[in-house]
Amino acid sequence: MKKDIHPASYRPVVFLDETANFSFLGKSTAATTETIKWEDGNEYPVVKVIISSASHPFYTGEEKILDTEGRVDRFKARTLKAAERKEALANKAKKAAASAAKKTA
């Protein structure tokens, strides 16, 4: 194994999710100046995280499920209306061309 390739600052760190009031002890090289007293009585550096497993919607069961069937129906309705508008404009153009031809003849 190569020597001196691993970071020297790899140490135990407390990760703190303040929104969910959840923390866990892990190892990291993350730089921090704050410390916290952990359950075992030792003092560890603390890294504040925005989202953890305690606050992420996937893990908490608050995940939103999209109604894809409704999206497809709305898309089909829009394309049908667009086709009807296109056909109506084509008929209007034909009538205008026919009336213009009558006037010139």
Side-chain angles (χ1 to χ4, degrees):
M1 219 157 81
K2 292 183 180 180
K3 291 186 177 188
D4 300 327
I5 62 168
H6 298 289
S9 63
Y10 191 65
R11 67 205 187 285
V13 173
V14 174
F15 292 94
L16 175 65
D17 182 0
E18 292 178 333
T19 58
N21 198 18
F22 175 73
S23 59
F24 61 94
L25 183 64
K27 289 189 172 185
S28 177
T29 60
T32 182
T33 56
E34 297 179 49
T35 59
I36 192 171
K37 193 163 198 132
W38 189 242
E39 299 163 353
D40 62 2
N42 294 329
E43 196 164 306
Y44 296 105
V46 64
V47 175
K48 295 179 180 175
V49 293
I50 298 170
I51 294 177
S52 69
S53 61
S55 61
H56 194 281
F58 179 78
Y59 296 108
T60 59
E62 297 171 3
E63 185 178 23
K64 294 180 182 176
I65 299 172
L66 297 176
D67 178 23
T68 56
E69 186 176 333
R71 286 182 174 186
V72 172
D73 292 338
R74 287 192 305 263
F75 174 76
K76 287 180 180 178
R78 274 197 322 263
T79 55
L80 182 63
K81 282 183 183 179
E84 289 172 355
R85 258 194 328 260
K86 185 177 179 182
E87 187 177 333
L89 287 173
N91 287 339
K92 188 176 179 181
K94 283 181 187 177
K95 286 180 183 179
S99 67
K102 283 183 182 179
K103 288 181 182 179
T104 57

